[in-house]
Amino acid sequence: MLRLILFLCLLAPALFSQDKSDSLLTELKRAKQDTHKVILLNLLSKNFYYISPTQTFSYAQKANKLAIQSNYVAGIGNSYIHLGMYCLNKKNNDSALMYFNKGVSVTNNNSTCKNVNADLIKRKGVAFYYSGLTDSALFYFKRSLSKYEAIKDSTEIIKLLNNIGSISSRKGDLDGAIMYFLKCLHFDESKNDTRNIASDCNNLGTMFTEKRDFLSSEKYLKRAFQIRSELKDSVMLANTLMNLGRLYHDKKDFKTSLDQYFEALKLINEGKHQYDYAMLLNNIGLTYFDSGDLENAFTFYNRSFEIKRRIGDKSGLASSLGNLGTIYYKRKNFSKAIEHYSESERTAIETGDLVYQVNALYNLHNCYVNTNNARADR
């Protein structure tokens, strides 16, 4: 099965600024009130997210200790956000969840820090998403959305609408995904935000491809392609080319599909964008497979599988394992096919991807039927 490229906005990166850090440290030396010191320590922690995780953790610990001593609830909640972010950055999702849970517990039912509480709940969703637990991620994103709607934070609302739409699509709820993506599009059009309009159109195009509404799909994807070409955004342009490749694949125009995919391949740096690169290789493999070229299909499927295994993309692994199983099935190597389909099912159960679970079970059934038939013919 082809994997669609959707724009999933999990966490906005914090950009490091040495000047900002110096300014905050100077202000910290002058600060007299504990609450002011906590605010500055949390800002310092955030400023070091991606440049120096150790300092992020150190400043967050200091903020947390001082905030607890002064009973500054918003400061406690923010410090738990930064401690959790440190753990996410280190891929320690369980510890991140522990900190986020502590923050939620402290900020619940506190009227002075509703935004901090909503942020902590959102980050719980992110931690579950990175752990491959999409059901839990969806649950907490929806909870966070309701919190942000209550305080009318439009910026966070649009991010969460996008995330919920993306995860809904992964779980096969296409109508729900389209509803959330249309809300995103209407919001971004009202702000004349062309970059996000392109992302919304890209997502809508993929959903309509999945629904076999090719006319609507082409309309949205071409709009996304035009905007991204004008913006000269090579990564996002490759993203749309991949989805156009999917559209033409499903229309059985395999040559045009491969043309789109190989154009996208030129734009993606494998080292920097391993997830997208692996997905693109998988899609090329499927197009070769459906055109009858099993040799090239196996080559590209296997290249995709190796990258996904290396980066820990469990949902993508379920897809690749199923595709490799199908190659073995076509070659009548049923034992290897069963091995790959079984692993695909186990992985899909972990991530909650129902589509891959159903595909694996159906293909396993066919393998066992053919294995029994082969034995009966002996």
Side-chain angles (χ1 to χ4, degrees):
M1 180 177 177
L2 278 167
R3 294 302 306 278
L4 301 177
I5 300 287
L6 298 171
F7 180 73
L8 185 63
C9 180
L10 293 176
L11 294 172
L15 300 179
F16 174 76
S17 167
Q18 185 62 56
D19 289 342
K20 183 177 180 181
S21 291
D22 292 342
S23 175
L24 289 170
L25 285 168
T26 300
E27 192 174 351
L28 181 61
K29 291 177 183 178
R30 298 172 181 168
K32 299 188 182 300
Q33 294 184 341
D34 286 347
T35 54
H36 189 197
K37 291 178 182 178
V38 170
I39 291 170
L40 293 169
L41 287 166
N42 274 323
L43 288 172
L44 280 162
S45 179
K46 183 177 181 179
N47 196 48
F48 283 100
Y49 268 174
Y50 298 111
I51 192 69
S52 179
T54 302
Q55 292 193 70
T56 285
F57 190 73
S58 175
Y59 283 121
Q61 280 187 315
K62 292 175 182 177
N64 181 261
K65 182 178 180 180
L66 186 56
I68 290 173
Q69 287 175 354
S70 57
N71 196 31
Y72 177 33
V73 178
I76 298 171
N78 275 316
S79 68
Y80 281 130
I81 287 174
H82 303 316
L83 289 166
M85 283 300 299
Y86 167 82
C87 294
L88 276 185
N89 197 28
K90 292 292 186 180
K91 303 188 187 305
N92 189 341
N93 298 341
D94 288 341
S95 292
L97 277 171
M98 177 193 71
Y99 285 123
F100 295 148
N101 279 328
K102 285 184 176 181
V104 170
S105 178
V106 169
T107 57
N108 264 339
N109 304 317
N110 189 303
S111 60
T112 64
C113 48
K114 292 180 179 179
N115 59 327
V116 178
N117 182 257
D119 193 357
L120 283 156
I121 293 170
K122 177 186 71 177
R123 288 168 195 266
K124 284 185 66 174
V126 173
F128 280 119
Y129 180 84
Y130 284 151
S131 300
L133 301 172
T134 52
D135 284 336
S136 295
L138 195 58
F139 174 79
Y140 285 106
F141 283 148
K142 287 182 177 180
R143 275 192 62 190
S144 181
L145 175 62
S146 67
K147 299 274 186 178
Y148 279 120
E149 286 175 336
I151 60 177
K152 297 181 171 54
D153 186 332
S154 60
T155 301
E156 292 298 331
I157 288 170
I158 198 67
K159 290 177 185 177
L160 284 160
L161 286 172
N162 185 86
N163 287 356
I164 294 168
S166 296
I167 296 176
S168 295
S169 72
R170 282 196 168 200
K171 297 180 70 61
D173 181 8
L174 301 181
D175 290 332
I178 288 170
M179 177 188 72
Y180 285 111
F181 289 144
L182 281 172
K183 287 182 179 181
C184 292
L185 179 60
H186 296 155
F187 176 86
D188 291 325
E189 286 177 334
S190 73
K191 302 291 185 182
N192 197 29
D193 187 336
T194 54
R195 189 174 295 276
N196 282 340
I197 288 170
S199 294
D200 300 332
C201 288
N202 185 74
N203 289 346
L204 284 163
T206 64
M207 293 300 93
F208 282 114
T209 295
E210 194 78 357
K211 284 178 69 70
R212 319 297 290 178
D213 182 350
F214 298 135
L215 187 63
S216 295
S217 175
E218 196 161 17
K219 178 185 77 172
Y220 283 112
L221 289 176
K222 284 188 173 180
R223 186 180 176 191
F225 179 84
Q226 181 179 351
I227 294 171
R228 287 174 168 175
S229 296
E230 292 169 357
L231 292 173
K232 297 183 175 10
D233 187 335
S234 60
V235 174
M236 291 295 101
L237 186 59
N239 177 298
T240 299
L241 282 166
M242 290 170 73
N243 287 321
L244 282 166
R246 164 69 191 269
L247 167 64
Y248 291 118
H249 167 274
D250 285 8
K251 292 176 73 173
K252 309 299 181 187
D253 184 352
F254 299 127
K255 182 182 182 304
T256 304
S257 175
L258 286 169
D259 287 343
Q260 306 298 311
Y261 287 145
F262 282 112
E263 283 299 313
L265 204 62
K266 295 176 186 177
L267 297 173
I268 299 178
N269 183 309
E270 180 181 356
K272 291 182 179 179
H273 305 284
Q274 294 182 75
Y275 178 88
D276 289 344
Y277 202 86
M279 196 181 298
L280 177 53
L281 293 173
N282 184 76
N283 289 1
I284 291 172
L286 182 56
T287 304
Y288 274 124
F289 178 86
D290 286 343
S291 67
D293 186 345
L294 295 186
E295 184 175 347
N296 271 321
F298 184 84
T299 297
F300 282 93
Y301 280 159
N302 201 52
R303 286 177 63 189
S304 176
F305 171 77
E306 291 299 333
I307 295 173
K308 290 172 181 176
R309 183 168 60 179
R310 186 169 67 245
I311 65 177
D313 175 17
K314 289 187 177 182
S315 185
L317 279 173
S319 171
S320 287
L321 286 162
N323 289 337
L324 287 167
T326 300
I327 296 288
Y328 287 116
Y329 179 86
K330 287 286 186 180
R331 291 174 172 173
K332 300 189 183 304
N333 187 341
F334 299 123
S335 62
K336 290 291 288 184
I338 289 169
E339 176 187 329
H340 283 76
Y341 287 142
S342 296
E343 190 174 350
S344 176
E345 184 201 5
R346 287 193 296 271
T347 306
I349 289 172
E350 280 186 55
T351 61
D353 283 321
L354 294 177
V355 173
Y356 295 140
Q357 290 180 51
V358 171
N359 286 346
L361 289 169
Y362 176 79
N363 290 326
L364 281 167
H365 166 78
N366 288 337
C367 283
Y368 287 122
V369 167
N370 278 280
T371 300
N372 290 334
N373 287 341
R375 289 171 179 167
D377 290 338
R378 291 175 186 170

